[in-house]
Amino acid sequence: MATAGKHRQTGLWADALSRARAHSGFLGRMAARHDEAARLLEKGNLAEAWNAANRAGDGASGTMQALRRRRGAIALVTAVADLAGAWDFEQVTGRLSDFADEAVEAALSAAFAERYPDDEPRGFAVIALGKHGSRELNYSSDIDPILVFDPETLPRRPREEPVEAAVRLGKRMTEILSARDGDGYVFRVDLRLRPSPEATPIALPVNAAISYYESMALGWEQAAFIRARTCAGDRALGAYFLQSIRPFVWRRSLDFGAIDGILDISRRIRDHYADGQIFGPGYDLKRGRGGIREVEFFAQVNQLIHGGRHPELRVGATRTALRVLADADVIPHETARRLDEAYVLFRTIEHRLQMVEDRQTHELPADPAALDTVARLHGVDGGDALLDLLRPHVEWVGSNFDQLAPAESERLSQRPDRLKEQLIDMGFEATVADAATGRIARWRDGSARSLRSASAREALEDLLPGLFAGLAHAPDPAAALNRLDDMIGRLPSAINFFKLLAARPALVAMLATMLSHAPVLADDLSRRAELLDSLIDASALDPMPDVEPLSRWLAQRETGDDYQMVLDRVRQKIGERRFALGAQIVCGATDPLEVGAGYGRLAEAAVHVLASATAEEFARTHGHVPGGELVIIALGRLGGGVLTHASDLDLVYLFTGDFSVESDGAKPMGATQYFNRLAQRIGNALSVPTASGPLYQVDTRLRPFGAQGLLAASLDSFARYQQENAWTWEHLALTRARPVFGSEGARRATQDIIRAILDAGRDAGALIRDAVKMRQDIARHKPAAGPLDVKLADGGLVDLEFIVQVTQLLHRSAFDPDLGRAVRLLIGDGHLPAELAPAHDLMTRYLVVSRLVCPAATEPPEAARTLVAARCGARDWDELLAKLHTARQSVAQCWAGLVARVPVEED
């Protein structure tokens, strides 16, 4: 059996070599020239054949001849291994790409050795682009490098300018690779992908190249650098260049100019190569509709859209890109699978085309006999069978790519009377249509800063039909129109915003709902229009992850990020997630209670990440305090884990260890000063606006001795203060305390102190009397804004919080900082009536929703009442009012019962 298997295997190799000789003049010549490799292949000894191919340059007269001989032998072995099915597509392209790297490195080293024999090669880097950059090189391919050099470190001859030296090196390297002689050539080198190739030298000073990509580069160049890597030369220089231009390639906000550029390239390719668009003989596998380019462009467009916010999508190889896009739920897994299958088939047949005569061709032969030759080289019966194999994939890829370009719709008229008719036909009332006509006219005249450029106004015209169709069906078109006008007036630039909406019609309906009902989100958008980008991610409407994965995500740094960049990135990410949580409420995707918990987890992760980053940065100068560390306690809503869109963070800073110890850094400090300075820095990291905007307001007034006390107190002094000096209200507040930063041991020690204080015995009468007095003081100094102020009104959430806290301390039980869970624990223990649980949930839902819908008032505008009722689980506004009234009554009744227990003071 083993012998039979070996014979079958040998037969496969013999068949592959026979097909190569019969149907490829080039491979036939290579087999005759490299007979040792051919004999080994015929016997199925692939590893030995590969070694023989790499020895083919031994004894050559120089680098040029050695590379050419190696290249011919490698072409033979690679082709036969491919035809025999011994190497899959990635192995084939990987071997070809590896050889290209080796060849470029050898050619560059030879050029250096000829010109500067006494110097080590340095100050010159070769950046591979295209399929070479992504290690997907064609069988017979150009390479498309960009050459950069460092004028400070590049060797040069006396009186030779750096640019002259670099150009001569680049020319010689190119000549070694691409000049033809009796042994053929190694690679054709195309240097036209550099900036302005008609006017620039073939090698560019690295800082000039960086400046170009930062300020002047075109959209297609952004896509080209998705696949860039350093393939030869000074690796540190190449890494510096690629790192410096990374923000140009991977932009956090969408650059629809780049995306339009890719789509425009595809459209122009289809027009220019019109003959190659029709599938059949003569079809262009690379440029044709549904061909290789459209698989690559589909992946690259989606990478550019999402890669700025998701570094895991920044991969060069097309197949890998499709896989990670599917894993990130950017594209469906089935779409990725079909594109991958098509891509491998197209590239494989492309290799067959190129194997015939070692030509960089991508067109199926128009001549039937030549098409039959390609088919038989591949191992199918003839040209018709090859076409049948390709056809379904070509058609599907073309249809899939067509979906990237939004369908063009009829534009809105420039004539005011006709425009008004169009708006009324869409569904606007006449008065709103009048107002909309005036607004559109002002937008069109370019008076708004964001609409001064012709390209921005053109983008607006593309968007207007779909946008106004969405606004016409908004719950409050007039309010939505007013907010849209305000937003456009405040945007620094509108072109990407308009293009995103035009490309994603589903976002138009979402935007219309936000503009109608959520002025907070509309204001956020007017300051950072790119926030809308975050809603195109498939995960935007998913529940917020737990704190640990959120912290890992927030803490992700990119190479070269400093502390300031960390502050900016956290603000960008928090802004996007907080905006998405608001959108979940407005769109009804998630229960507001879960959204409130999501706000809480997001804030806790921000505290953890920014406190860690700040402590690390602080330690660079001041070192660490031996035996001491900072602990942060969250109180209030953050302690309870449920926030609204704009909640403050109530924080207390403590530190462990001996307060008399000094830090061990270059600028030492005593422990008390050290941790107070660090706490101040952390507060600033959480609250001070950066270029990426604000984050959270931080309230530290709940610390020992309030505003008069140290910002950070030792753990021992905190325990002493709580035991000896704290007021009743401070112990009530402590029921919602939760350590959120510090080592596990330090958090446990802090929690033990908190629990010991809460468990302490206390006078029930004094506790209730103090609580009632405190509630009366709050009502006097901060009265309710109205009956729908569910926080401060009688029977509202403040009353409920007092009820829970007093009951917890009275019974020394149910100490859960989450108010909702604490209510349920106390109900389960028989200490509170059951109706308080739904009362808590309803009023908390209303609070979370109302902070988005009517942040400056307690009662939402009439047009938004249906939405608010629905998000709070009511059929309509009247039912919601009735439910809120019942909830408040149940809380008020329970609070009244506590008030009645206040001891009567005797005269």
Side-chain angles (χ1 to χ4, degrees), residues 49-61:
W50 181 252
N51 290 335
N54 279 293
R55 292 195 305 269
D58 292 356
S61 61

Side-chain angles (χ1 to χ4, degrees), residues 744-859:
E744 185 178 348
R747 290 196 201 193
R748 191 184 308 114
T750 304
Q751 190 63 58
D752 288 345
I753 292 171
I754 293 169
R755 187 58 189 257
I757 293 162
L758 296 178
D759 276 338
R762 60 195 80 233
D763 183 297
L767 170 64
I768 296 171
R769 182 175 57 247
D770 288 350
V772 170
K773 182 180 182 304
M774 286 158 45
R775 179 65 184 100
Q776 290 169 344
D777 289 345
I778 291 172
R780 185 165 52 254
H781 295 298
K782 196 173 182 181
L788 286 179
D789 186 343
V790 296
K791 182 177 178 181
L792 293 169
D794 290 345
L797 287 168
V798 169
D799 282 353
L800 179 59
E801 193 166 348
F802 270 108
I803 291 168
V804 170
Q805 292 169 338
V806 169
T807 307
Q808 287 172 316
L809 292 178
L810 282 175
H811 296 280
R812 290 187 257 178
S813 68
F815 287 120
D816 191 315
D818 183 310
L819 189 63
R821 286 202 300 265
V823 167
R824 285 168 168 79
L825 289 171
L826 291 169
I827 291 170
D829 291 340
H831 300 314
L832 290 180
E835 57 266 23
L836 291 191
H840 163 272
D841 293 353
L842 177 64
M843 288 192 288
T844 303
R845 282 191 182 96
Y846 186 86
L847 182 71
V848 173
V849 175
S850 65
R851 289 294 188 263
L852 282 178
V853 173
C854 47
T858 59
E859 188 166 332

Side-chain angles (χ1 to χ4, degrees), residues 382-406:
D384 289 342
L386 181 62
L387 294 175
D388 290 342
L389 182 65
L390 290 166
R391 183 178 289 105
H393 298 282
V394 170
E395 291 174 352
W396 189 88
V397 169
S399 298
N400 180 70
F401 188 80
D402 288 342
Q403 297 171 24
L404 281 178

Side-chain angles (χ1 to χ4, degrees), residues 88-93 134-136 227 295-296 299 303 315-327 331 336-337 339-345 347-348:
D88 63 17
F89 170 74
E90 288 190 347
Q91 286 176 292
V92 170
T93 56
S134 58
R135 300 189 77 253
E136 303 170 295
R227 303 197 284 190
V295 179
E296 294 171 341
Q303 286 178 282
V315 296
T318 302
R319 299 186 71 195
T320 308
L322 293 171
R323 185 177 66 251
V324 297
L325 287 166
D327 289 343
I331 63 175
R337 185 193 67 77
L339 287 171
D340 180 76
E341 187 179 330
Y343 187 70
V344 171
L345 177 62
R347 292 292 312 278
T348 300

Side-chain angles (χ1 to χ4, degrees), residues 524-675:
D524 287 346
L525 272 179
S526 67
R527 287 188 292 270
R528 286 186 61 203
E530 66 272 15
L531 286 173
L532 202 63
D533 298 357
S534 63
L535 300 186
I536 67 176
D537 285 344
S539 62
L541 301 183
D542 288 348
M544 191 62 59
D546 290 336
V547 172
E548 189 174 334
L550 267 178
S551 296
R552 287 197 300 270
W553 171 68
L554 283 177
Q556 285 175 351
R557 296 195 186 191
E558 298 182 15
T559 306
D561 280 359
D562 58 10
Y563 175 65
Q564 187 61 45
M565 185 58 75
V566 171
L567 299 185
D568 282 339
R569 287 198 193 284
V570 169
R571 279 157 173 74
Q572 290 165 358
K573 291 178 176 180
I574 293 283
E576 289 171 0
R577 285 298 183 105
R578 199 156 48 182
F579 182 81
L581 284 169
Q584 290 183 19
I585 292 175
V586 172
C587 300
T590 309
D591 184 337
L593 282 179
E594 176 52 38
V595 172
Y599 285 136
R601 293 195 290 274
L602 195 59
E604 184 176 341
V607 170
H608 177 78
V609 170
L610 290 179
S612 298
T614 304
E616 179 184 327
E617 183 71 11
F618 193 73
R620 293 181 195 280
T621 302
H622 303 290
H624 300 88
V625 175
E629 65 172 291
L630 190 75
V631 181
I632 302 178
I633 300 176
L635 295 100
R637 288 204 158 275
L638 181 59
V642 178
L643 302 182
T644 67
H645 191 78
S647 289
D648 292 352
L649 306 185
D650 293 305
L651 301 178
V652 168
Y653 301 99
L654 305 175
F655 63 90
T656 65
D658 185 349
F659 69 87
S660 66
V661 174
E662 274 199 342
S663 67
D664 56 11
K667 295 184 178 180
M669 289 180 176
T672 300
Q673 183 186 20
Y674 180 98
F675 287 114

Side-chain angles (χ1 to χ4, degrees), residues 20 24 26-27 30 71-83 89 92-93 96-97 99 131 136-142 185-188 347-360 362 377:
S24 166
F26 169 70
L27 291 176
M30 291 302 104
R71 191 263 176 178
I74 283 172
L76 172 67
V77 175
T78 303
V80 176
D82 184 1
L83 293 171
F89 170 74
V92 170
T93 56
L96 294 171
S97 301
F99 173 65
K131 291 185 174 65
E136 303 170 295
L137 205 59
N138 287 340
Y139 185 78
S140 177
S141 178
D142 289 358
Y185 70 103
V186 187
F187 287 102
R188 293 173 295 270
R347 292 292 312 278
T348 300
I349 302 304
E350 179 186 47
H351 285 179
R352 304 295 180 262
L353 293 170
Q354 295 173 353
M355 286 174 186
V356 174
E357 277 302 342
D358 191 28
R359 290 179 52 240
Q360 192 194 18
H362 315 282
L377 180 62

